[in-house]
């Protein structure tokens, strides 16, 4: 396995050959692509030289407007939940997060469903039952290659957040079970398998939990390197036990990360605890993301797990969320970034 970082700004030899000679895919390779509005081949094209060119995700890495994301039960494999969420908040999410266990197959249907409504899919890939040391040693190479090949053949952009919240002791791949060296080696091995099969249509999000509850854990030793990461995906929630200012929730993590990388940031998973303060916390969320040019947007975790993070649980906060979501700086059709 090659541990060679990928640079987005340099065309791979395969892509260059595709542009000059008409494609690198083998006979019978007929991946579906995004529609023409998204800058890629049409979804119905098969066997063409255009279809062999990987989708160019560069325009999606730092768009001029903010991502307006949501994690909703059952989505995007079924879009019913997202459609209801859209009606509730008054705006269509353009980044839809779902959770997949290591060993699951690739949900191409869900990615297509999201894309059809102008949304990018973000997959949180969680290795619950496979030690990262085993992944780093290559024991999952066959599975990873099969998965990466399916992603490449679909040829729509996908965000992958692998083994997130790694700096927390509560995860099976967290600090009590995995060393920083094992984490980095596993990340690079997974990433490079995707590179090897030509799946450059992936945006890679490295996603620590905010450092507030685990301040003793340094993040830099877990960082795979700029050649392996596109986004920094921060995971953090507003809780009633803490100061609700945006900088209090995310500032310490942002400042620590900025000491070793300048990659753009996304609030990959966030919400505010239900209660009287939620309306104020929602305001802090929008104001904080708007004020930071390096902050790409956010994903609201609209689930009832451990606490009721659903917006509908707090009517006044929902009203405030709906008002702020109307800001044109949030949301855009990802097929036309």
């Amino acid at each position: 396995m090659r541990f060679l970082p990928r640079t987005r700004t340099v065309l791979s030899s395969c892509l260059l050959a595709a542009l000059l000679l008409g494609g690198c895919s083998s006979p019978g390779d007929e991946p579906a692509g995004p529609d023409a509005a998204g800058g890629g081949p049409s979804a119905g094209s098969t066997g063409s030289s255009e279809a062999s060119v990987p989708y160019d995700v560069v325009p999606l890495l730092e768009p001029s407007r903010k991502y307006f994301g949501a994690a909703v039960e059952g989505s995007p494999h079924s879009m019913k939940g997202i459609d209801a969420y859209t009606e509730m908040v008054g705006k269509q999410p353009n980044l839809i997060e779902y959770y997949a266990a290591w060993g699951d197959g690739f949900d191409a249907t869900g990615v297509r469903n999201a894309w059809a409504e102008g949304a990018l899919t973000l997959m949180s890939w969680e290795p619950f039952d496979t030690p990262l040391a085993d992944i780093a040693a290559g024991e999952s190479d066959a599975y990873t290659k099969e998965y990466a090949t399916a992603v490449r053949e679909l040829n729509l952009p996908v965000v992958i957040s692998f083994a997130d919240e790694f700096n927390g002791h509560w995860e099976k791949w967290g600090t009590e079970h995995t060393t920083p060296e094992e984490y980095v080696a596993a990340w690079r091995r997974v990433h490079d398998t995707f590179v090897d099969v030509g799946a450059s249509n992936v945006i890679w999000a490295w996603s620590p939990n905010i450092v507030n509850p685990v301040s003793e854990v340094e993040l830099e030793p877990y960082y795979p390197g700029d050649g392996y990461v596109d986004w920094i995906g921060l995971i953090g929630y507003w809780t009633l036990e803490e100061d609700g200012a945006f900088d209090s929730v995310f500032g310490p993590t942002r400042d620590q990360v900025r000491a070793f990388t300048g990659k753009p940031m996304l609030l990959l998973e966030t919400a505010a605890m239900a209660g009287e303060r939620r309306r104020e916390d929602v305001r802090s969320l929008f104001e904080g993301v708007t004020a930071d040019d390096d902050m790409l947007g956010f994903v609201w975790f609209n689930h009832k797990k451990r606490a009721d993070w659903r917006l509908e649980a707090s009517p006044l906060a929902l009203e405030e969320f709906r008002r702020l979501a109307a800001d044109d700086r949030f949301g855009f059709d990802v097929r036309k970034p």
Side-chain angles (χ1 to χ4, degrees):
M1 178 63 64
R2 301 193 320 272
F3 279 20
L4 298 176
R6 172 180 61 190
T7 302
R8 290 283 187 190
T9 56
V10 179
L11 289 173
S12 67
S13 59
C14 181
L15 178 54
L16 183 58
L19 293 173
L20 297 178
L21 303 176
C24 292
S25 56
S26 60
D29 179 16
E30 301 180 347
D35 62 27
S42 68
S45 66
T46 58
S48 69
S49 60
E50 284 189 355
S52 68
V53 179
Y55 190 98
D56 182 9
V57 300
V58 170
L60 294 167
L61 295 180
E62 298 185 62
S64 59
R65 294 162 72 179
K66 306 285 187 180
Y67 282 102
F68 179 70
V72 178
E73 192 71 39
S75 300
H77 195 77
S78 167
M79 292 295 285
K80 291 181 179 179
I82 288 293
D83 292 342
Y85 184 89
T86 299
E87 184 176 357
M88 177 175 69
V89 303
K91 179 172 284 186
Q92 162 78 45
N94 67 342
L95 184 60
I96 301 173
E97 182 170 10
Y98 80 99
Y99 303 85
W102 189 258
D104 288 352
F106 175 53
D107 185 9
T109 296
V111 175
R112 287 193 194 96
N113 289 343
W115 189 258
E117 295 195 16
L120 184 62
T121 299
L122 190 165
M123 180 187 70
S124 180
W125 208 359
E126 302 174 316
F128 286 109
D129 298 318
T130 304
L132 291 191
D134 291 351
I135 296 174
E139 295 185 18
S140 292
D141 280 1
Y143 164 67
T144 311
K145 183 176 181 180
E146 180 182 7
Y147 201 104
T149 301
V151 172
R152 170 64 184 94
E153 289 179 349
L154 179 63
N155 204 18
L156 289 173
V158 178
V159 184
I160 293 180
S161 173
F162 172 68
D164 61 7
E165 299 184 59
F166 51 84
N167 56 322
H169 53 79
W170 52 86
E171 299 289 11
K172 286 188 175 181
W173 54 90
T175 54
E176 291 187 358
H177 305 280
T178 305
T179 67
E181 294 78 13
E182 290 168 341
Y183 179 86
V184 169
W187 177 286
R188 291 180 175 180
R189 192 160 195 118
V190 171
H191 173 282
D192 286 339
T193 299
F194 277 72
V195 172
D196 287 344
V197 304
S200 59
N201 51 311
V202 175
I203 296 171
W204 294 91
W206 180 74
S207 309
N209 194 83
I210 56 173
V211 300
N212 299 12
V214 283
S215 57
E216 72 282 0
V217 180
E218 293 293 325
L219 295 177
E220 187 171 9
Y222 290 89
Y223 189 59
D226 280 356
Y228 293 92
V229 173
D230 298 304
W231 290 349
I232 307 299
L234 303 184
I235 297 174
Y237 291 75
W238 274 264
T239 63
L240 300 180
E241 294 79 18
E242 296 182 292
D243 174 9
F246 186 88
D247 282 347
S248 297
V249 179
F250 294 102
T253 312
R254 179 192 58 210
D255 294 346
Q256 190 178 141
V257 169
R258 280 290 168 255
F260 56 85
T261 182
K263 291 290 184 177
M265 295 185 177
L266 172 84
L267 301 190
L268 186 130
E269 185 181 304
T270 193
M273 188 171 288
E276 293 183 3
R277 207 187 75 183
R278 181 184 269 193
R279 188 176 186 182
E280 180 182 341
D281 293 340
V282 163
R283 192 177 302 117
S284 293
L285 166 64
F286 277 90
E287 290 176 351
V289 172
T290 301
D292 190 339
D293 290 338
D294 287 336
M295 196 66 68
L296 298 172
F298 69 87
V299 177
W300 183 274
F301 183 78
N302 208 62
H303 289 267
K304 185 178 182 180
K305 292 187 177 180
R306 297 190 182 91
D308 195 346
W309 306 105
R310 298 173 304 163
L311 285 165
E312 54 265 40
S314 302
L316 291 178
L318 171 57
E319 179 183 354
E320 184 71 352
F321 189 98
R322 186 181 177 95
R323 181 182 73 82
L324 295 170
D327 189 329
D328 285 340
R329 288 172 290 187
F330 288 89
F332 58 92
D333 188 333
V334 298
R335 297 167 298 185
K336 307 172 185 179

